[in-house]
Every structure is written in structure tokens, then in C-alpha cells.
Amino acid sequence: MKFIFIFIFLISFLNAKNNNINLTNEEELFLQNNQPLRLHNEAYWPPYNFNENDTPKGFVIDYMNLIASKLGIKVQYISGPSWNDFMEMLKTNKIDAIINISKNKQREEFFEFTNVYHIAANAIYVKKGNEDIDSLEKLEGKTIVMPKGFFAQQLLEKYYPQIKQILVNDSVEALKLLSLGKADATIDKKNVLDYIISTKNISEVVATNYVNDDRLVSYISIAVSKDKTILKSILNKAQDSITDKELLDLKRKWFGNNELVSNKSFLSKEEKQYLSNNNIIKMCNIINLKPIEFYENKKTQGINIDLLNLLGKKINVKFENIIVQDYQTAKKYLEEKICDILPTTSENKNSEKIVFTNPLLSYKLAIITQKGKPVVQDIDEVLNETMAKKSNSENLDTLKNNYPNINIIETNSDYETFEAVNSNKVYYAMEPLPVVAYYMSKFAFNNIFISRYTDILLTSQIAISKDNIILYNIFNRAIEQISENEHNEIFNKWTNFSINMPFDYSIVWKISLVVFIILLILAYRQSILKKHNKTLRLINNEIEKKNRQIAKQKELFEKLYNKSADGVLLLKNKKISDCNEAATKILHYSKDELIDKYLYEISPRFQPDGLSSNLKAIIKVNEALKNGICSFEWMHTSKDHKKLWIEVVLTSIEINSNLVIHTVIRDINKRKEMEKKLEVLTCNLEERIKKEIEINEEKTAQLIQQSRFVQMGEMISMIAHQWRQPLTAITATTNNLLLKNILNKEISKDILEEELKLITEYTQHLSFTIDDFRNFFKSDKEKVESKLEDIIEKAINIIKTSFDSKEIQLIKNYEFNENITTYTTEIQQVILILLKNAEDALVENEIINKKIEIKTYKENDFVIIDIEDNAKGISADIIYKIFDPYFSTKKAKEGTGIGLYMSKIIIKDHCKGEITVTNSQDGANFKIKLPLNI
């Protein structure tokens, strides 16, 4: 086996060398480092590019395999992603190339494109009976179904917005929807849709015409990323090495000959009217361009003339020949409108007044030498030799520009050129295949042969005045209608002879090697036949096993249908065509009684929503046909006129190419009875909820009052602290005055006034303390506008004396001191609760340097009050519960657990704010967030 693979490798290597693609060292290195090339393979775009049983297939796949064989490289086809995914993969270098793509401005921003290797026309497909829809103009206001992201879909969306589009995943889905009448038409490559129709058994769909817009003609090439221009160069060289025969064989294999035949149907109304008014076209013919175009025996002849006559038949016009001697005269006549077209020219002959159609002909130049000369591998090998070329040849300037050192001897005619090579006056000539074939057969130049084809192309186009764009468009459309077979028949007519190619004796030993390999393979084949037979037996056994499984599944599905707890009906043409046993039990009809009945015939005249049963049934069936599925509740009438509720699910399915409504029904009478009971319960529940809310509001009010009583006790303690010092001072002052009076000491008026003034000040302080106490326990009924600092200070004044007695340092940092509108005394109550809790925590935890910091600042439309202590914080196990009612962190019997709960109610429910707690580095941090205005 090793020898077999070695021989195969050697032959592949030699064949790759024979392809003679001249790659630079840099290009060779690129291919060595980037194998296999990763190419995109579409899921289903036949016959161009598709995947069948995990095998890439299609014209494009064969074309890329041919390129790979010529380059001697490996390729890997990536299958699975969508078209848009492939585009993204190429942008990010996850693949190396998209192998069938049309160039546009948007794509040119990201990709480089190789030479065009195929031109594909889009065609209009309609449902049978709508064959009159044969142009884009007739599709205005109608609906087409298109694969999303395709070249044609994007162009139609951009240039024909008046045509409505239904977007689907692929062409198969588009054709199926069209066959079901969901759209008026679809547009795609004719070869693609013909292939799908034939392989997927899609019926009732026909092609009416090619699309009459050049922008929708796809010029297919290969795209690579912008940073891989070297790959573009390699692929272009490989494309140039593909012969016309190789490309034609691929097209015959995948496309055959299935062209639309419709005289002038590919033209617009305007173009048809133009031809109706101008059915004779004047054509300037050059007399000496054999066999492309020439004048002989008083007759204009040649390949292009035959192609023009074919075009004339397709567009139903006649040509009037105007004979000229050379191209310059023909060009002058065209510019002066003496003639309408010049049929044989190329676009490199620039003129501001002329436009050029798509090519009629395109052939590579062949290197012609004498038979005894060595086979030329590349034009560079013969640049030092002499070459003959007609002096007024179209590609003479191209050769001189591409090869400045080329040694050309100019001749007066093509005959002199071939005679010079035949008689060894020059070493070689370069001419296109039709010219070579014609002169070698006509004049029996038996001493010359085609040594090698070059990458230089000869193209022949029709030149038309720029003032006559409508004629230019007509000829471009007509050229697209020429089939491969028509091209080949005309070419064979003018080149019907055998071209002698050099005999390569290496073929002999290659054939010998192949024969030897075949013998080895045959021997090896015998050794593996037994293995294959064994494998086949195993496969047959597996197939039998699968068949048994399928039979079991069929039996299972039949049981599921017949024995299902849910009723199943099949509606065909809106009538019941079949049903299962459960359906007869639910509907209280026998199967025979149900068959051929409409749904409304086993229903009351009107449904509970007021719609007639007949109308509602039609609406629901149409909804299922449109959306694929529809579910609803339905009132049914049994044989004994009893009304029953059923739940219905309609699903549109296809059986034997016929649309059928698969209907599932379920008895929901018990559910409807429960719903009625539930409505009654819901009404009662609403009343109970309302009462509970009133009770909860009353309890909340009681809790608030309870909280105030708790704080009242704490306030009395605070007032005792505040009154102790002024009462002591008043006592000391009165005792001093009393003592002096007892001792009969004289008290001056000034001293008496000063002492009385002190007593008055102490008394006022006591009075202010009582006012603060009374104001704190006022219940806010209305919102008040007040400065935030004043609100906080009033709370601090109540507890300040207690802080001083416990050596608690109070730090104030007010960054916000503007007016806010809120319930001020309730805010004071919350602040006092937080300050009192902080005081208790500092004392309970025996903190040495006791600190409490109050900060205020603005945050968007809210004011923030931060109260933070250094009492070591709150345990993480309970911090989330401290706002719960009756939960306290204080020692037993010291806390009620309602202070923070009431604080949360006041801030959140009354003041529309938030209160939160977190642990800081040293203690607890309470954050109050209040709106500037409730």
C-alpha cells in the first residue's frame, strides 16, 4: 500500500508541475504555510454550492477542486454557518475565502475579489396561473418571498421598495411558500431554482422570465479578506490556467441546457418599443478580421457576425451592413451616427463618445511555434526570440506594454504572421484560438502547433454611441440570453479541424505507472472484498433492525392518535375528514356523524363573544393557515343540544401535498365551572383584603404611638439630665440670697438684679426644654418647609446633655443646608432614635473614645443624612433583621424592637425616602435618603 500512495503522489506532483502556474517565491511560501485553505460550503444553494450527506457538492465546489488540483494544494470546506455568519468569519479570518460571491460597494470595503468566473441571471418564478407576472414592473405592489441576505434580495429591497418582501432562510423555503400561495413570486438564480424544483418535488411553480435589470445579474467571483491580497493573486493565476473546455465541462455537468425561451421577454416595455420603432440596425463591418469578422464573396462573415445574427433573432431585428476598411473608420462612422453599432472591438480602445457591451467572445492567446521546437512552458522563455504580429492587431500595444523587451516583427496580415512561423522566419507568434484554428485549417500550415496558452485574453465587445444607452442595454440583455451550446455551435462552425499539440512522451511512463497501480489496486481490492461483504451483511442486518423500529414507531403513532386523551380532528377544505376516539367522546357524536361536517354545524348559532359560529370558525381557520397555528376556546353543542366548552388548537400541516388543519380539542367544562367559582372567591377576597389593610393601618398607627411612648420615657430621662444643672444653679443662687438675708448682710441693687437675671435665664432654659419636648411629640398632619440643619439640631438639643454626661463626642459635617419640604417632627423622631441607639451601643460596648458623626450632602434630587458611630458595628448575622418589628440588639428588657421598624415606616411610607444600614470600619452607618420635596 505504501508503494501505491507513493506512485499516486508522484503522478499528482507531475500533473501539478504540468499546470505551469507561475507563482512567486512569496506566493509559494504562503501556500506552504496556509494549508488547507478554509473555504465556505453552503448548506443548500444547488447546483452551485451545497452539502449533501456531509459531502460538499456543486459547480462552485468542482471549480475550487479544479483550482486546488492545479495549485497542488489541499482545501477544507467549512459547512454549517449561515451566509451572514460566513461574511463575518471572512472578516475575522476564520475562513480564507467565500467562493461564490458578487461584488458590490459595501462588500468592497472588507474584501478583495478575484476575476469573475461565472455570470448568473436571476429569473422570476410564480405559481401556475400567474404567468402574466413576467417583469419587476408587474410585481409593484405585490409580495415576493426571498432568502434573507442574498444579493438579489438586498438589491430589490434597495431599488424596488414598492415590492413587498417575505424573508426566509433559503431558496427551498421560498419555493414552498410560493407553491402554497403565500406570495406572488420569488426571484433567484434560474439554475438554482430549477435544481431545487426537480430534486424537492415542488409543484405548481413555473419560471416566466429573466429579471430585466442588469443590477440583478450576478458576476460571481471569489472573495478574500483585505489583508490577503497575495491569496487573491494566487487564485487569479489559477483561474487563468483553467481552459475553456474545462470550464465548459463543469457547466454542462451542473447546468445542462435549460434556458428560458421567450422572444424579447427579457426586455422592458421601453426597450421593446424602441425596437418596434428601430427594427433595422446599421452595423459597421471591418473587412479583414478573419475569422472573427470579415467580408468575402460579397458577404459579411465570421464568428461575431453569426453571434450578431443570433442576437438579431432574439430581439427580432435585422442588420444593415456598412463595410469599412479599418477600426478608425468604423469608430468615426459610429461617432457620426452613420452606423449604430461596431460589433468587433474591445474596451481598451477608449472613446468618450462610445460605450462597450459585455463580451461576445473571450479567448486566451496561444503561443504558436514550429513542430520541432521545444514546448514553451512560459512566455518568459521566448522573450529573447523573434515574434511575428500583424501591425494593426488589437493586442499589439498590450504585448509591448506588458513585455517592454519583447522582440516583435510586424506583418501586414494574419496570414503573413502564420507564414513567418511556418517558414521559420520567426520563432513564434501569439494569437487567439479562433484565429489559429481558422488559418491552420484554411491554409494547411502543417508545420506549426499550439505550444502553450498564455494568461492574456482577447475579448470582443459591441461598441455603441453613448447617446444610445437604450440600445446598449438591449444588447447587454440579449448577450446574456446566448447559451453555452449556442456559443459552442458557432465556434465549432469556424474551427472544425484538429489542432496538433506536441506529444509529451512522459505520458507513456505515466500511463505505465497508472496501469501498474491499477493492477496493485485490483489485487488489494480482492483482499478487502470479503471485509466489504461482511460489512454489507452487518448493514443489511442494521437496515432490517431499523425497519422493525420504524414499524414499531408507526404502530406507536397510530396508538397515540387513536388512544390519545385529547380529541384529534383533521379538517380538509374546512370540513372534518377524520377524527380519533377521544374526539367522539368529547363532542358526544359518533365518527360517522362528524365526518364531512363543518365546525359551526356542531356549535350554537352564536359564540359567547357575540360572533356567529360560522364566521368565527372561518376566521380561526384562516388564522391557522396564515400563521401556522391558532388556539382558542369554543362553545360546542352536543346531539342532545347541551352546550359544552372545549379548548381548540388548529395547526396547518401538509399531507400528500394538500393543506390539512390538524385540530386538537380538550374538554374544559370543569375548568370553566372552577373559573366561575374563582370569580366569586375573588370578589370576596377583595373585601377581606380591604379589611385587613384597614386593620394593618390601625396597628401601624398604634405602633407609632407605642414608639412615641417608649421615646417619651427616654425623653424624660434626657430632660432630667438637662434640668439638673439649671435647677442646681437656681438653688445655689436663692440659697446665697437667703443666707445673706439671714446674716443681715446688705444686698446691693446690682447684685440682686444680677442674681435674679441668672434665675430668669435658667428658668427660660427649662421652658425651652419643655417646648422641645412638646414639639417632638406633636403629630405632623401637614408637610412643612424647613432647613435640614434646623431639623437635625432640634433632635440633637434633646439628647445633647445626655451625650455630654456620657462623654460622647458629636461631630457635625453639614454640606447641605437648604430648605426641604417634609414631615419635620417625624424626621426628628427618626434622627433621635438613631442617635439614642448609637449612644446605647457606645455605652454597652464600653467604647473609650466615643464618637458619633452626622453628615449631610446632596445626591441628585435627594438629600442624604449619614449617622455613623464607632461602636464596633452590627453582627453580620443579624444586620439584615434590624428593621423588623420587635427585633432588638439591646440587652434583654432594655429594647422594645420597634424603634428602627417605625423609623423605616416613617422614612419609606410617610416621607417617600429610604433608610439603610451598613457596617463601616469602626461601627454602624445609617443612611437616610429623602426627596427635596415630597
Side-chain angles (χ1 to χ4, degrees):
M1 283 306 295
K2 289 183 179 178
F3 291 112
I4 292 174
F5 290 120
I6 291 171
F7 283 132
I8 292 172
F9 173 77
L10 286 172
I11 289 177
S12 300
F13 175 78
L14 289 168
N15 284 335
K17 289 295 183 183
N18 283 339
N19 286 325
N20 197 31
I21 300 173
N22 293 314
L23 302 179
T24 64
N25 291 336
E26 185 182 6
E27 290 169 342
E28 293 278 9
L29 184 61
F30 177 87
L31 289 179
Q32 289 176 17
N33 296 332
N34 292 274
Q35 286 197 54
L37 287 182
R38 299 161 299 168
L39 310 177
H40 101 288
N41 173 220
E42 298 190 27
Y44 200 72
W45 196 54
Y48 289 98
N49 186 350
F50 61 105
N51 192 289
E52 189 173 81
N53 299 325
D54 295 328
T55 303
K57 291 184 178 182
F59 165 74
V60 175
I61 300 298
D62 284 357
Y63 182 79
M64 292 308 300
N65 289 340
L66 181 59
I67 284 178
S69 68
K70 287 181 176 290
L71 290 171
I73 63 170
K74 295 179 180 179
V75 296
Q76 177 188 1
Y77 293 102
I78 308 298
S79 305
S82 67
W83 176 259
N84 289 334
D85 291 337
F86 277 127
M87 298 277 278
E88 291 300 319
M89 290 171 72
L90 185 56
K91 290 177 186 177
T92 54
N93 283 318
K94 292 181 180 176
I95 57 173
D96 297 305
I98 291 178
I99 57 179
N100 49 267
I101 188 170
S102 296
K103 180 167 65 175
N104 59 33
K105 289 183 179 179
Q106 182 181 1
R107 291 171 180 174
E108 281 185 297
E109 293 180 12
F110 303 101
F111 308 135
E112 293 284 340
F113 294 84
T114 66
N115 299 330
V116 173
Y117 65 87
H118 182 69
I119 299 174
N122 284 287
I124 299 172
Y125 281 72
V126 300
K127 189 173 175 63
K128 282 184 180 179
N130 294 330
E131 286 86 347
D132 60 314
I133 303 176
D134 59 358
S135 67
L136 293 177
E137 289 79 5
K138 291 183 180 179
L139 279 170
E140 291 183 6
K142 295 189 176 350
T143 302
I144 60 174
V145 57
M146 297 292 292
K148 184 178 181 181
F150 275 28
F151 176 75
Q153 182 266 317
Q154 292 174 335
L155 279 178
L156 287 169
E157 186 177 59
K158 180 177 180 181
Y159 296 111
Y160 296 91
Q162 66 275 29
I163 300 177
K164 302 171 188 174
Q165 291 194 28
I166 298 172
L167 301 183
V168 295
N169 292 324
D170 53 38
S171 301
V172 178
E173 189 176 353
L175 283 172
K176 285 184 177 180
L177 287 180
L178 179 60
S179 70
L180 294 174
K182 302 293 185 181
D184 298 301
T186 187
I187 295 174
D188 205 339
K189 307 294 179 293
K190 187 172 186 302
N191 294 325
V192 174
L193 297 190
D194 285 345
Y195 186 93
I196 294 172
I197 288 170
S198 64
T199 57
K200 295 294 182 180
N201 294 321
I202 294 174
S203 59
E204 300 299 312
V205 174
V206 293
T208 60
N209 198 3
Y210 287 106
V211 175
N212 54 343
D213 189 329
D214 290 340
R215 291 172 298 194
L216 285 168
V217 175
S218 298
Y219 295 88
I220 297 175
S221 57
I222 306 166
V224 300
S225 64
K226 282 283 188 182
D227 56 357
K228 287 187 181 177
T229 53
I230 188 172
L231 179 57
K232 170 189 171 183
S233 173
I234 293 168
L235 293 173
N236 275 336
K237 290 180 179 180
Q239 284 181 286
D240 292 339
S241 72
I242 295 175
T243 66
D244 296 331
K245 183 178 182 305
E246 288 172 326
L247 190 58
L248 182 59
D249 288 343
L250 288 181
K251 290 183 177 180
R252 282 175 176 167
K253 172 184 175 182
W254 288 103
F255 304 145
N257 183 25
N258 188 19
E259 299 294 327
L260 274 173
V261 179
S262 179
N263 187 31
K264 295 198 295 184
S265 62
F266 52 87
L267 300 178
S268 66
K269 290 181 180 178
E270 182 185 7
E271 291 164 345
K272 291 176 182 178
Q273 186 61 45
Y274 175 91
L275 293 177
S276 177
N277 298 332
N278 302 273
N279 61 348
I280 296 177
I281 296 175
K282 296 176 182 179
M283 177 169 59
C284 283
N285 299 115
I286 302 173
I287 64 173
N288 60 346
L289 298 178
K290 296 180 180 179
I292 307 300
E293 177 187 357
F294 62 98
Y295 185 76
E296 191 173 85
N297 299 326
K298 297 182 180 181
K299 183 180 178 183
T300 306
Q301 305 176 58
I303 297 175
N304 267 16
I305 301 303
D306 286 354
L307 287 171
L308 261 294
N309 290 333
L310 178 61
L311 292 177
K313 292 179 182 178
K314 290 182 181 292
I315 60 177
N316 197 22
V317 297
K318 295 181 179 180
F319 295 102
E320 179 183 327
N321 302 106
I322 300 173
I323 307 302
V324 296
Q325 295 295 320
D326 52 39
Y327 173 76
Q328 293 303 324
T329 306
K331 177 184 174 185
K332 179 182 177 184
Y333 281 14
L334 182 62
E335 291 175 347
E336 293 176 355
K337 296 184 172 56
I338 295 172
C339 56
D340 298 312
I341 65 170
L342 177 56
T344 307
T345 184
S346 58
E347 199 164 353
N348 60 356
K349 295 185 175 180
N350 294 321
S351 172
E352 295 180 355
K353 298 181 180 180
I354 295 174
V355 290
F356 300 88
T357 67
N358 296 331
L360 270 176
L361 298 174
S362 182
Y363 293 102
K364 294 177 181 179
L365 293 184
I367 300 174
I368 314 300
T369 64
Q370 285 190 328
K371 286 184 178 179
K373 301 290 175 64
V375 175
V376 178
Q377 299 297 327
D378 188 82
I379 189 173
D380 292 330
E381 294 182 9
V382 293
L383 284 178
N384 295 327
E385 305 290 347
T386 55
M387 185 188 92
K389 192 70 178 173
K390 188 172 71 172
S391 58
N392 62 348
S393 173
E394 288 192 14
N395 45 42
L396 181 60
D397 291 338
T398 302
L399 288 170
K400 288 180 178 179
N401 291 332
N402 291 344
Y403 305 99
N405 298 324
I406 196 167
N407 185 9
I408 298 177
I409 296 175
E410 297 185 14
T411 64
N412 294 320
S413 66
D414 288 325
Y415 174 83
E416 286 187 20
T417 298
F418 286 100
E419 174 59 30
V421 179
N422 193 58
S423 60
N424 203 25
K425 293 176 184 178
V426 296
Y427 190 86
Y428 70 104
M430 281 200 294
E431 298 293 341
L433 177 61
V435 177
V436 176
Y438 178 80
Y439 279 94
M440 289 177 69
S441 61
K442 182 79 173 176
F443 299 101
F445 290 124
N446 295 323
N447 198 32
I448 61 177
F449 70 98
I450 297 175
S451 183
R452 177 68 60 187
Y453 285 102
T454 70
D455 295 333
I456 303 172
L457 290 176
L458 169 73
T459 58
S460 176
Q461 298 163 278
I462 302 172
I464 302 172
S465 172
K466 273 189 178 178
D467 297 336
N468 202 354
I469 290 298
I470 190 169
L471 185 60
Y472 164 78
N473 290 332
I474 289 170
F475 272 105
N476 265 340
R477 297 187 195 282
I479 289 169
E480 292 171 6
Q481 308 307 310
I482 300 176
S483 68
E484 294 286 347
N485 283 347
E486 289 169 332
H487 261 293
N488 294 335
E489 286 175 7
I490 293 172
F491 176 79
N492 292 335
K493 170 185 173 182
W494 291 97
T495 60
N496 189 21
F497 83 111
S498 176
I499 297 176
N500 293 322
M501 298 293 289
F503 184 73
D504 190 351
Y505 288 97
S506 64
I507 294 174
V508 174
W509 67 266
K510 287 182 184 178
I511 292 174
S512 300
L513 286 175
V514 171
V515 171
F516 177 68
I517 291 170
I518 290 171
L519 292 174
L520 287 176
I521 291 172
L522 288 173
Y524 175 72
R525 178 176 175 274
Q526 292 300 320
S527 67
I528 63 172
L529 276 176
K530 291 181 179 180
K531 294 181 181 179
H532 284 315
N533 289 332
K534 183 179 179 181
T535 304
L536 284 172
R537 283 194 298 271
L538 292 174
I539 291 172
N540 286 331
N541 292 336
E542 187 66 24
I543 290 171
E544 289 180 6
K545 182 180 178 182
K546 293 292 183 184
N547 286 335
R548 287 193 295 270
Q549 290 177 350
I550 291 170
K552 288 181 179 179
Q553 288 178 348
K554 181 183 177 183
E555 182 182 356
L556 174 63
F557 288 138
E558 288 176 350
K559 286 181 179 178
L560 287 173
Y561 176 77
N562 292 319
K563 302 300 181 182
S564 171
D566 290 333
V568 179
L569 306 171
L570 294 181
L571 302 184
K572 189 174 181 181
N573 297 324
K574 300 179 183 178
K575 286 185 177 181
I576 300 171
S577 62
D578 195 11
C579 67
N580 68 352
E581 184 180 342
T584 62
K585 291 180 179 179
I586 293 171
L587 300 176
H588 300 280
Y589 281 94
S590 67
K591 185 172 183 178
D592 291 338
E593 290 171 331
L594 288 173
I595 299 301
D596 286 334
K597 272 192 168 51
Y598 291 99
L599 193 59
Y600 72 85
E601 291 182 303
I602 54 173
S603 308
R605 186 176 178 185
F606 293 97
Q607 289 295 309
D609 59 5
L611 278 178
S612 73
S613 294
N614 185 15
L615 178 59
K616 187 168 184 177
I618 292 171
I619 292 171
K620 294 302 180 180
V621 169
N622 289 339
E623 185 179 340
L625 290 172
K626 180 180 178 181
N627 301 327
I629 191 168
C630 174
S631 60
F632 55 94
E633 293 179 353
W634 184 265
M635 178 71 77
H636 159 67
T637 305
S638 64
K639 275 194 301 186
D640 53 2
H641 306 292
K642 185 178 179 181
K643 292 182 179 179
L644 304 170
W645 277 102
I646 57 174
E647 185 178 53
V648 183
V649 179
L650 305 180
T651 307
S652 176
I653 62 174
E654 188 175 328
I655 300 177
N656 297 327
S657 300
N658 294 316
L659 278 178
V660 175
I661 302 297
H662 179 269
T663 307
V664 177
I665 61 173
R666 184 172 296 163
D667 187 343
I668 58 169
N669 278 296
K670 290 183 179 179
R671 191 180 79 188
K672 283 294 182 179
E673 290 174 5
M674 292 296 293
E675 286 176 358
K676 286 182 180 179
K677 293 179 180 178
L678 186 61
E679 286 179 8
V680 175
L681 288 174
T682 301
C683 292
N684 295 336
L685 185 61
E686 287 177 356
E687 291 295 326
R688 290 177 62 187
I689 289 172
K690 187 176 179 181
K691 289 180 181 178
E692 288 297 326
I693 289 172
E694 291 175 355
I695 294 169
N696 285 338
E697 287 176 349
E698 186 179 342
K699 287 182 179 179
T700 300
Q702 291 174 357
L703 280 174
I704 292 173
Q705 190 63 29
Q706 183 181 351
S707 174
R708 288 180 178 271
F709 287 145
V710 171
Q711 284 189 293
M712 186 181 293
E714 294 174 348
M715 287 284 291
I716 291 170
S717 175
M718 294 176 194
I719 289 168
H721 276 294
Q722 291 196 34
W723 279 19
R724 188 174 290 116
Q725 183 180 349
L727 286 174
T728 302
I730 290 170
T731 302
T733 302
T734 55
N735 287 339
N736 185 33
L737 291 174
L738 182 62
L739 183 60
K740 285 183 179 183
N741 187 44
I742 293 172
L743 297 175
N744 294 317
K745 287 186 178 182
E746 186 178 350
I747 303 171
S748 68
K749 183 180 179 181
D750 292 339
I751 292 172
L752 181 61
E753 288 178 353
E754 183 180 349
E755 294 294 338
L756 290 174
K757 183 179 181 181
L758 286 172
I759 293 171
T760 301
E761 288 176 355
Y762 290 140
T763 305
Q764 286 176 347
H765 178 74
L766 296 175
S767 177
F768 291 152
T769 303
I770 293 299
D771 288 341
D772 288 342
F773 178 78
R774 185 177 65 252
N775 289 334
F776 177 80
F777 286 102
K778 276 185 180 178
S779 178
D780 283 344
K781 299 298 182 182
E782 295 182 358
K783 295 172 283 187
V784 178
E785 185 177 346
S786 180
K787 285 189 176 182
L788 181 63
E789 184 177 336
D790 293 344
I791 297 171
I792 298 171
E793 286 296 329
K794 286 180 180 180
I796 291 172
N797 287 338
I798 294 172
I799 200 169
K800 184 176 183 303
T801 305
S802 180
F803 278 8
D804 292 340
S805 67
K806 294 180 176 62
E807 297 180 344
I808 296 173
Q809 181 185 358
L810 181 64
I811 302 168
K812 295 181 283 187
N813 184 6
Y814 300 143
E815 294 181 10
F816 179 87
N817 189 26
E818 298 177 16
N819 286 350
I820 64 170
T821 302
T822 187
Y823 298 104
T824 56
T825 57
E826 292 196 348
I827 299 298
Q828 289 177 38
Q829 182 181 353
V830 173
I831 294 171
L832 189 62
I833 288 170
L834 297 180
L835 292 175
K836 180 61 179 170
N837 285 349
E839 176 191 64
D840 293 344
L842 290 167
V843 173
E844 185 176 329
N845 292 325
E846 299 179 354
I847 304 300
I848 297 173
N849 296 317
K850 305 177 185 69
K851 291 181 183 179
I852 297 174
E853 183 179 4
I854 302 177
K855 291 191 294 184
T856 63
Y857 55 91
K858 188 177 179 183
E859 190 177 89
N860 298 325
D861 293 330
F862 293 86
V863 61
I864 308 300
I865 304 172
D866 266 351
I867 299 177
E868 183 176 334
D869 59 50
N870 64 339
K872 297 182 182 180
I874 305 168
S875 172
D877 296 336
I878 62 171
I879 193 169
Y880 67 92
K881 296 192 290 184
I882 64 169
F883 290 111
D884 293 349
Y886 307 110
F887 179 82
S888 176
T889 60
K890 298 176 183 179
K891 293 179 181 178
K893 299 182 181 180
E894 290 187 8
T896 62
I898 62 172
L900 288 177
Y901 171 64
M902 292 314 306
S903 298
K904 181 178 179 181
I905 290 176
I906 289 169
I907 297 300
K908 185 176 179 182
D909 296 344
H910 294 192
C911 299
K912 309 303 179 186
E914 295 178 8
I915 181 168
T916 57
V917 62
T918 56
N919 280 325
S920 63
Q921 184 176 357
D922 298 321
N925 177 276
F926 285 85
K927 182 176 180 179
I928 301 171
K929 184 176 181 181
L930 298 171
L932 294 175
N933 193 343
I934 297 177

